[in-house]
Amino acid sequence: MLTFRIYPEPRHSRLYFTVHVFEQLAELRAFAMASSRQAPSYFRRSLGVCQTWRDRRDRECGQILFAETHLRPDVISHEAGHALIGWAARRDVPLDRWPAAKAGATEERACYALGELVGQIFTTLAARGVPITPIRTRQRRGGGVARRRRG
């Protein structure tokens, strides 16, 4: 298992998330079940997991769990999005009050934090030689990209 830390605001705050990368999805799910109060069925279909510690006051905001077999940009960014929401709750960043007409300071702060989280995950995985699987897509008629259907 690969373990490292990521920081939403590395220049301004020492808050972090611990990232665990398991070899197999079954290991990720077993770890998630053992470290959560959720029912085991909650993780049955999970390809990644983010558990946030909103009530704790130490520097760790939570943990993000990935499996090497499912390291895709969509899974990474999805779990980083959950981490962003947990971090925002800890830092009292009001994500529900973004200005509708323009990007305000709150929106920019959240987007920079999300960029930091995703960037640090990708950079660390690349530095450790862990491959990221591309998302399989197909071209839509008239432009754009659609995800392939499973099955």
Side-chain angles (χ1 to χ4, degrees):
M1 174 174 51
L2 171 63
T3 300
F4 57 94
R5 292 179 179 178
I6 56 173
Y7 298 81
E9 293 184 303
R11 293 174 200 84
H12 307 290
S13 173
R14 296 173 66 194
L15 294 176
Y16 67 89
F17 288 85
T18 301
V19 178
H20 300 291
V21 182
F22 299 88
E23 288 185 22
Q24 300 294 323
L25 198 52
E27 295 171 291
L28 174 154
R29 290 175 179 160
F31 187 91
M33 284 186 266
S35 62
S36 175
R37 295 182 197 150
Q38 296 285 348
S41 61
Y42 182 81
F43 301 106
R44 185 177 27 230
R45 303 181 87 202
S46 298
L47 301 180
V49 172
C50 179
Q51 298 170 322
T52 58
W53 323 136
R54 295 180 189 196
D55 297 331
R56 286 174 46 175
R57 291 293 158 221
D58 60 349
R59 295 183 332 180
E60 185 176 25
C61 290
Q63 62 186 5
I64 303 173
L65 313 177
F66 297 114
E68 282 188 42
T69 55
H70 291 78
L71 273 176
R72 302 187 324 233
D74 59 329
V75 175
I76 293 169
S77 60
H78 179 96
E79 299 309 330
H82 287 300
L84 172 74
I85 293 166
W87 162 82
R90 286 275 300 263
R91 298 288 290 168
D92 293 323
V93 176
L95 296 182
D96 61 338
R97 291 193 291 267
W98 287 3
K102 61 181 179 135
T106 298
E107 182 176 342
E108 286 298 313
R109 183 178 180 191
C111 290
Y112 279 119
L114 181 60
E116 283 288 346
L117 294 170
V118 173
Q120 290 172 47
I121 292 169
F122 274 82
T123 301
T124 303
L125 293 174
R128 305 276 176 94
V130 179
I132 296 170
T133 305
I135 302 171
R136 290 185 280 164
T137 59
R138 61 180 170 82
Q139 195 70 26
R140 284 187 179 175
R141 287 185 199 173
V145 175
R147 291 184 64 177
R148 287 191 184 184
R149 294 183 184 180
R150 294 186 181 148

